[in-house]
Amino acid sequence: MNIVWLESETLAVPLPRPACPHQWTEYPYTTKEQLHARIAEADILIINKVKIGQAELDAAPRLKMIQLVATGMDNVDQAACRARGVKVSNVVNYGPGSVAEHAMACILQLTRRVPEWQALVHDGSWSASRFFCLHTLPMNSLDQMTLGILGSGAIGGKLADFARAFGMAVVHIERQGASSVREGYVSFEHGLAHCDVISLHCPLNDQTRGLFGDEVIAKMKPGAILVNTARGALVQFAAVKAALERDHLGGVALDVLDVEPPPKDHLMVSWQHPRCIITPHIAWGTESAQSNVGRLAIKHVDEFLAENQ
């Protein structure tokens, strides 16, 4: 089996090699122009964000399996793969703690206003103070706040554990437009109106694309914090910007954008705000999580090879 790994630089740790006999070809990255030539003789493709559609399947007549080193599979035309008999495999739950830690770190930064306090040190405000400390910015304690989690998978569950350890009340928010509210959940509207922090962990689909726009954000509790470590297109960036600028939102943390990497003139890159944290899709990226995603991806390849040798 000829295995081709198209994007090795998307991981900071090397992939282990399959145990079954194979030929291995690895590229640090692959452009659209390079793609067809590189996959022409591949039996198994290992990818992260490279897009595979009908044209790519036609260019890879030997292809039998696509293994993603990721959970999301929206970059692969799964219907076309099924029609061709190509197995598509992803990796789930490889690092829920990593993403949840990042979300919790953002919540702490924004509730304790760490970036703003640091700015007051460097602009001379602390040095000019009459007293030993500053009381410029109001802060709330986490044990007086409610976290709402939209998306009840492993990451949301891990974040709930972290938040409860800090004394936060935690609620799970039902999907928008749900005909009934599941046991242990609050309605979407109740979550918007009552949660001090809302963290997004839901998939991107036709129902959730652009969900947090002007209308939904306007229904959020004044001063609430919005955290998105899921998919960038869940939120509308102009709406986020407007809500922060009028102080309806108390803070925003985005680890994902709609285009990655974003152009320099992307709204969330070119605009800065002291209560807006933007990080480069790195919530998942602890070394242990990256090792896990590689180990699980190659485990799936080994299982496929064992079944098809």
Side-chain angles (χ1 to χ4, degrees), residues 52-54 57 63-64 66 73 76-88:
I52 303 294
Q54 185 63 60
L57 294 176
L63 190 62
K64 301 172 181 64
I66 298 171
M73 298 191 292
V76 176
D77 186 335
Q78 294 176 66
C81 287
R82 283 193 296 271
R84 269 276 306 272
V86 175
K87 179 179 177 62
V88 181

Side-chain angles (χ1 to χ4, degrees), residues 267-288:
L267 178 61
M268 291 291 104
V269 175
S270 59
W271 172 76
Q272 296 184 42
H273 190 282
R275 285 178 280 120
C276 183
I277 297 172
I278 309 290
T279 49
H281 200 145
I282 204 62
W284 69 281
T286 61
E287 289 188 6
S288 61

Side-chain angles (χ1 to χ4, degrees), residues 10-87:
T10 61
L11 295 181
V13 299
L15 285 184
R17 296 292 189 268
C20 294
H22 66 279
Q23 178 179 331
W24 182 275
T25 305
E26 181 174 308
Y27 299 99
Y29 64 94
T30 298
T31 66
K32 185 176 181 180
E33 293 72 25
Q34 296 167 330
L35 180 56
H36 286 196
R38 291 183 174 181
I39 65 179
E41 302 298 323
D43 295 297
I44 296 175
L45 285 182
I46 302 177
I47 65 172
N48 195 329
K49 301 301 179 186
V50 164
K51 293 184 178 180
I52 303 294
Q54 185 63 60
E56 287 67 42
L57 294 176
D58 292 341
R62 291 173 46 175
L63 190 62
K64 301 172 181 64
M65 180 189 192
I66 298 171
Q67 176 63 55
L68 291 106
V69 288
T71 300
M73 298 191 292
D74 48 299
N75 53 319
V76 176
D77 186 335
Q78 294 176 66
C81 287
R82 283 193 296 271
R84 269 276 306 272
V86 175
K87 179 179 177 62

Side-chain angles (χ1 to χ4, degrees), residues 31-283:
T31 66
K32 185 176 181 180
E33 293 72 25
Q34 296 167 330
L35 180 56
H36 286 196
R38 291 183 174 181
I39 65 179
E41 302 298 323
D43 295 297
I44 296 175
L45 285 182
I46 302 177
I47 65 172
N48 195 329
K49 301 301 179 186
V50 164
K51 293 184 178 180
I52 303 294
Q54 185 63 60
E56 287 67 42
L57 294 176
D58 292 341
R62 291 173 46 175
L63 190 62
K64 301 172 181 64
M65 180 189 192
I66 298 171
Q67 176 63 55
L68 291 106
V69 288
T71 300
M73 298 191 292
D74 48 299
N75 53 319
V76 176
D77 186 335
Q78 294 176 66
C81 287
R82 283 193 296 271
R84 269 276 306 272
V86 175
K87 179 179 177 62
V88 181
S89 174
N90 66 340
V91 180
V92 298
N93 295 339
Y94 59 86
S98 177
V99 181
E101 283 176 7
H102 187 92
M104 195 70 220
C106 291
I107 293 168
L108 284 164
Q109 287 244 59
L110 290 169
T111 54
R112 297 308 300 262
R113 308 185 74 158
V114 175
E116 294 170 273
W117 288 121
Q118 185 176 23
L120 290 174
V121 172
H122 294 300
D123 72 6
S125 296
W126 191 20
S127 299
S129 174
R130 296 179 181 179
F131 306 108
F132 69 96
C133 72
L134 296 177
H135 294 295
T136 312
L137 306 170
M139 296 183 294
N140 293 318
S141 296
L142 290 181
D143 62 6
Q144 303 299 309
M145 301 173 72
T146 297
L147 168 66
I149 296 174
L150 186 62
S152 56
I155 296 171
K158 196 69 175 177
L159 178 59
D161 292 340
F162 292 158
R164 290 189 184 102
F166 279 94
M168 297 186 79
V170 177
V171 298
H172 292 277
I173 301 174
E174 185 58 85
R175 296 184 298 271
Q176 185 189 42
S179 57
S180 61
V181 177
R182 287 169 284 178
E183 184 178 353
Y185 284 68
V186 299
S187 71
F188 186 75
E189 292 73 18
H190 180 95
L192 293 178
H194 293 88
C195 289
D196 301 286
V197 181
I198 294 179
S199 190
L200 307 183
H201 302 283
C202 47
L204 178 64
N205 53 40
D206 292 342
Q207 289 70 47
T208 60
R209 185 177 298 275
L211 176 59
F212 278 77
D214 289 325
E215 183 178 348
V216 166
I217 290 174
K219 295 176 181 177
M220 291 176 65
K221 182 178 180 179
I225 289 169
L226 178 64
V227 178
N228 185 16
T229 56
R231 289 291 182 266
L234 294 173
V235 303
Q236 298 179 31
F237 304 115
V240 165
K241 177 178 181 290
L244 268 177
E245 289 179 335
R246 69 175 185 269
D247 290 327
H248 178 68
L249 285 177
V252 172
L254 306 175
D255 184 55
V256 285
L257 296 178
D258 56 335
V259 179
E260 296 174 347
K264 290 183 179 179
D265 62 353
H266 190 288
L267 178 61
M268 291 291 104
V269 175
S270 59
W271 172 76
Q272 296 184 42
H273 190 282
R275 285 178 280 120
C276 183
I277 297 172
I278 309 290
T279 49
H281 200 145
I282 204 62

